[in-house]
Each structure stands twice: as C-alpha cells, then as structure tokens.
C-alpha cells in the first residue's frame, strides 16, 4: 500500500490477516464496506450473504470445523441484531466465533446516530467477551483477545465493536500497523485431568456391569477421534454418539450402539461422557430414559459442567484427547465379546436396522415417496466417503440422522443443541468453504429451508456445488395435500403448520443461478441425484416431494418424551 492513504480499515484487515483469518462471512454496508474491501485486498476471502443470521451461522460452523474462531462482519444496529441469532447458536453449541460490527462514530453516542445501538451491551449476555476498542491503537489487542477468548477454554462467541470514526481514521503508514500488532493467538493450553480422578474413573468403569461411552460434539471439536478409537477398541466398551458426534468413529463400527439408543441408555450403569453435556439431548441424565442408579464419569474442558442437573459425576476436566489418553493408559480390562450388555446391544442394533431397512423399501418406482423411501434412493447414490451431511427440520432431520451413516469426524452438522431452524444454508456454505473437496449434502425440511432460502444466491455466486435436498411435505412437521389445503384456506382454518403445496423450491435455485430438479417419485429422485452429483460448478437443489400428511405424529419421541414427574 506504499503511497496510498491508509485508514483504520487497513489496520483491521492487517490484524485479521496477522491473526491467521482466511475467510470472513458477512454483509457490508456503511461503515464496514471499507473493512471488507481492505480484507479482500489483504487476501482474505469474503463471502457476502443475504442475511446476517446465515452469515453468523456460517462463521460459527466454520469455527467448529476448523477449530479456530470463524469471523463474521456486519453493519451495526439491525445487522448486529440479525447476527445475534448466530452468536447465541454459537455460544449454546460451544463453537468459537467472533462478530465484528460497525458502529456509530464515538462522538455521536446517544445522539440517535445512524443504526445506533449499544452493541457491546446487546451482545454481552450471549458472548464470552464483548468489547469496543478503547482507541484506534487498541484494535489489534481487542481482536486478538476476542479470537483468543472465543477459542480458549470452552469455546464460544465474542464481539468486537468497530466505530465508524476508527474505521475511517488515517493511519500514518504500514510500519505503524506492524508496530502495534499483538502476537497471533497461540494454540489453547492443554491440561490434564486430576490423576486421582482418572484412577477413580478407571476403577468405576472396571466395576461396571454395563459400561457405555457417550460421545458428544465437544469431542469432535477437540479432535479426539484417534484417542477415542484407541480407548474404545482397547476396552471393547460400546459407544453412542450424540447427533453431531456421529463419524468420530464410523457409524458402522461394531461397538456403535446408535440403533439401540434407548436400550443403551436404559441399561447402562456407568457412563463415560466425552464432550457431551447432560442437557435435553441426553434427557438431563434423568430416569426414565436412564437407570436411576446410573453413575456418570464426565470428560469436559469446562469444570462448571460437572455434576449438572443433579448427576453425581466423576469429574475429568481437561483437554479431551489428552484426558481420553490418560484413561486408556490406566489399564481398564477389556470386556469379553461374550459380555451380556454387548450381546444385548448388538442384537437390538440388528433388529432395529432390519426394521429400518424394511421401512426404506416402501413404495414402488412411481409411488408418492415418504422420508424412508426418499432417503433410500438418495443413500444408494451418495459416494461412500468425503460426504458432509447438513440437516435441519424436525422429522426430516430426525429420520435422516439414523438413515445416513457417517464415517468421518466433523462431517455432520445439524440444528444441534439450540434446535435452530434456518442454520442449513449457512452451515452448508461454511462446510464447502472449509472442505472444498468434499460433497456437501444438505437434507432439510421445507419449513427449515425457507428460513434462509435466499442464501442459494450466495452459494451459487460463490460457485459452491452444494447438493440441497428439500424434503417437501407442505408444512412444519406435516402438511396438507392440495385439496385439503384449498378447502381449509377457503374456510379460513388453515392449520398453523401448513405451507403452500407445490412450492417450487427447485425454481428458486434456478432463479438464483443454480440448478434445480423436481422429484415426485423414486425414479425422478434417482435421476435428479445422479445429475446433481455430476454437477461441480454450481449449487444444486432437488425439491423432493413426499406425502404431506404421512406422519401426523412426530417420530422424534426421544426429544419430546418427558421424564417422570418429580415429587
Ligand atoms: N424457529 C426456529 C428458529 N427454530 C425452531 N426450532 C422452530 C422455529 C420450531 N420448529 C421446529 S422444527 C420446525 C420448526 C419451525 C420446522 C419443521 O418442519 P420442516 O423443516 O419442514 O421439517 P419436517 O418436520 O416437516 O420434516
């Protein structure tokens, strides 16, 4: 930039570059357009979205996949309010991300300035750290601290305010920018669990009748796959991944008990939680889904997670892969293959897989499809490896979770802990940016897709060859067929779950520069999936029409079933 006039935007871009940021997700406007342009000049990829929600979801997913905070850039006021959806989702999922947003000139605070909002205050409840740099010269420190705080300890979201007058301030020269840089964030410190607690945990596992290992997405984030494989294969203890931990060990591993989840939870007497929290996804660790006598051992980076929800836990606090290694080294004897718990689970897995296979055979070539028959066709055509599944919706996501096996770590993203609809497009875009060589297969409900459908244009513009399958049942959970829809509409009693039948999501893809197909039966779906898989230069969407009212009762009883009332 020698000879050019430098501004705060070059300082911000140089700081991000210095901190190793290679991509930013966001939407520009006054005053951050200069920041985005400076970042592009500095060699940082900028992916411009259509709504800040999706941009923030993308940044959070990029943080999860890459293991370093994803960065989102927005305008202030409404931009930050929209991005808060992604901030909270990131924080609840424990994924690292940093939101940078423009804000009013510092001498106009409180005057009703353009898009004025106290953004630091707005972000504070949902972030680990939210700040406005005290001066122009403090920008490198504030950004480094936000990146460091987002990634260290339990990962989460951070916020940095970028006042318009700082962005526009003149900078003397490149040397000044260099001279005020803070060293790049170092890898998070690694710490081990208390050896005495490791010993107690090993003894407890050893004395268990029915031991079980539950793997959460915290283990996926911490890249604990090799250590877990070693622990599981040394001890022969069965394991159960939570939805986003699928693939740390392959779903086809003989010790994987996903298909026997209810039996595994109910019968386990000692459970090793690895990066998994006892929240709603694990029924808070309570009866009746778990045995009343169950004992938990918990490996987590966060001490405050221990003994949560009334569970008495043996706490193994530390860096997950390192702590798993500590346990593996503590000589837990191997369960014999003939062990009754292993046999029970294996038999339940076999029966449930056979039941699912029978369901997937329903309906002939030209019949209207349901979730199972549609997934059967899709599954047969997907490559065996290098696939990343993104999924959202209720039935769509729930049934897809068990229908599609995952074989590689961090290759499945979904609505996750916060059960957020609308994350799909942002997650798919971030996945393709992070994994350019993998096939991103997004399996989304028609309602869920509608939250961020316009991001099709973002994906097509960025030439991302996503394969999006909209599972279209005309509604939220279920819909109405054409006739019922028309008569309900006529009578002004359209159910709250209804969406318009025959919505041509495939044409939206075409209109946005991608490719679209409408598939109403197995044959059409097969042809569409083959054509989409052969496309590598733009975004593909298949509008998979399934029976609208085929399932009035939700299949995801594991989410909704309540524990026994407490006295
Ligand atoms: N808004 C947000 C942000 N998140 C939510 N979870 C909901 C609303 C409530 N909700 C749960 S699932 C769902 C909605 C709106 C959509 C389910 O319909 P669809 O995506 O079509 O999938 P289906 O169950 O029909 O397969």
């Amino acid at each position: 930039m020698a000879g050019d006039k430098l501004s705060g935007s070059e300082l911000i871009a140089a700081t991000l570059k210095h901190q190793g940021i290679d991509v930013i997700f966001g939407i520009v406007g006054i005053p951050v357009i200069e920041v985005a342009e400076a970042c592009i000049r500095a060699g940082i990829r900028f992916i411009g979205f259509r709504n800040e929600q999706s941009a923030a979801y993308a940044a959070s997913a990029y943080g999860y996949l890459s293991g370093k905070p994803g960065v989102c850039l927005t305008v202030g006021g409404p931009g930050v309010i929209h991005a808060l959806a992604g901030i909270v989702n990131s924080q609840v999922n424990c994924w690292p991300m940093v939101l940078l947003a423009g804000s009013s000139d510092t001498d106009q605070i409180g005057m009703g300035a353009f898009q004025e909002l106290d953004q630091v205050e707005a972000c504070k409840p949902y972030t680990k750290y939210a700040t406005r740099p005290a001066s122009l010269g403090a920008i490198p420190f504030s950004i480094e601290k936000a990146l460091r705080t987002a990634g260290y300890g339990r990962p989460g979201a951070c916020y940095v305010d970028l006042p318009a007058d700082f962005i526009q301030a003149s900078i003397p020269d490149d040397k000044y920018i260099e001279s005020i840089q803070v060293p790049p964030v170092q890898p998070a410190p690694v710490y081990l669990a208390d050896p005495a607690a490791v010993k107690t945990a090993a003894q407890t596992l050893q004395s268990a009748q029915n031991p079980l290992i539950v793997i959460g997405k915290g283990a996926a984030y911490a890249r604990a796959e090799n250590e877990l494989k070693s622990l599981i294969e040394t001890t022969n203890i069965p394991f159960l991944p939570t939805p986003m931990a699928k693939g740390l060990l392959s779903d086809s591993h003989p010790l994987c008990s996903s298909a026997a989840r209810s039996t595994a939870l109910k019968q386990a007497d000692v459970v090793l939680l690895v990066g998994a929290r006892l929240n709603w996804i694990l029924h808070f660790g309570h009866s009746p889904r778990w045995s009343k006598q169950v004992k938990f051992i918990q490996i987590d980076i966060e001490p405050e997670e221990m003994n949560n929800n009334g569970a008495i836990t043996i706490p193994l606090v530390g860096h997950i892969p390192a702590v798993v290694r500590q346990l593996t080294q503590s000589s837990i004897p191997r369960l014999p293959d003939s062990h009754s718990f292993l046999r029970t689970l294996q038999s339940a897995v076999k029966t449930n897989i056979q039941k699912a296979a029978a369901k997937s055979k329903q309906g002939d070539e030209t019949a209207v499809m349901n979730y199972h028959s549609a997934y059967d066709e899709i599954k047969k055509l997907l490559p065996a490896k290098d696939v990343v599944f993104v999924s959202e919706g209720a039935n769509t996501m729930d049934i897809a979770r068990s229908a599609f096996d995952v074989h590689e770590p961090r290759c499945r993203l979904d609505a996750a802990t916060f059960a957020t609809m609308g994350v799909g497009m942002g997650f798919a875009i971030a996945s393709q940016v992070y994994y350019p060589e993998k096939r991103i297969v997004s399996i989304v409900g028609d309602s869920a897709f509608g939250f961020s459908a316009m991001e099709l244009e973002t994906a097509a513009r960025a030439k991302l060859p996503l394969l999006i399958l909209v599972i279209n049942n005309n509604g939220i959970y279920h819909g109405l067929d054409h006739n019922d829809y028309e008569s309900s509409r006529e009578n002004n009693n359209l159910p709250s779950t209804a969406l318009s039948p025959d919505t041509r999501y495939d044409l939206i893809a075409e209109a946005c520069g991608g490719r679209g197909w409408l598939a109403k039966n197995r044959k059409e779906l097969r042809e569409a999936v083959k054509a989409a898989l052969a496309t590598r230069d733009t975004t593909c969407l298949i509008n998979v029409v399934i029976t609208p009212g085929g399932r009035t009762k939700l299949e995801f009883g594991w989410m909704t079933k309540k524990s026994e009332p407490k006295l």
Side-chain angles (χ1 to χ4, degrees), residues 389-470:
F389 292 99
V390 174
S391 202
E392 59 175 339
N395 290 309
T396 296
M397 177 176 78
D398 199 48
I399 300 171
R401 194 188 63 250
S402 36
F404 294 91
D405 279 350
V406 184
H407 304 293
E408 295 157 288
R410 296 167 296 281
C411 282
R412 186 177 179 284
L413 293 105
D414 69 14
T417 318
F418 211 33
T420 313
M421 298 301 125
V423 291
M425 284 304 296
F427 283 8
I429 290 169
S431 301
Q432 191 76 82
V433 171
Y434 183 68
Y435 295 122
E437 303 307 324
K438 291 192 196 282
R439 199 80 227 199
I440 312 302
V441 178
S442 232
I443 301 169
V444 298
D446 49 338
S447 161
F449 175 68
F451 283 76
S452 51
M454 199 59 213
E455 302 304 342
L456 278 171
E457 190 277 330
T458 307
R461 179 167 22 95
K463 293 196 190 153
L464 304 178
L466 314 176
L467 168 51
I468 299 153
L469 296 133
V470 178

Side-chain angles (χ1 to χ4, degrees), residues 215 240-247 250-252 256-262 265 280-283 289 353 356 371-372 375 379 389-407 411-417 421 441-444 471 554-560:
I215 308 171
L240 189 69
T242 61
M244 282 196 39
K246 276 164 74 78
S250 166
D251 280 336
S252 57
C256 178
S257 307
S258 291
R261 186 180 190 274
S262 313
L265 298 194
W280 66 276
I281 292 189
L282 289 176
H283 320 288
R289 306 308 296 268
I353 287 180
Y371 294 100
H372 301 281
Y375 292 171
K379 225 163 108 164
F389 292 99
V390 174
S391 202
E392 59 175 339
N395 290 309
T396 296
M397 177 176 78
D398 199 48
I399 300 171
R401 194 188 63 250
S402 36
F404 294 91
D405 279 350
V406 184
H407 304 293
C411 282
R412 186 177 179 284
L413 293 105
D414 69 14
T417 318
M421 298 301 125
V441 178
S442 232
I443 301 169
V444 298
I471 310 299
L554 298 187
E555 283 217 350
F556 49 104
W558 63 274
M559 275 166 76
T560 51

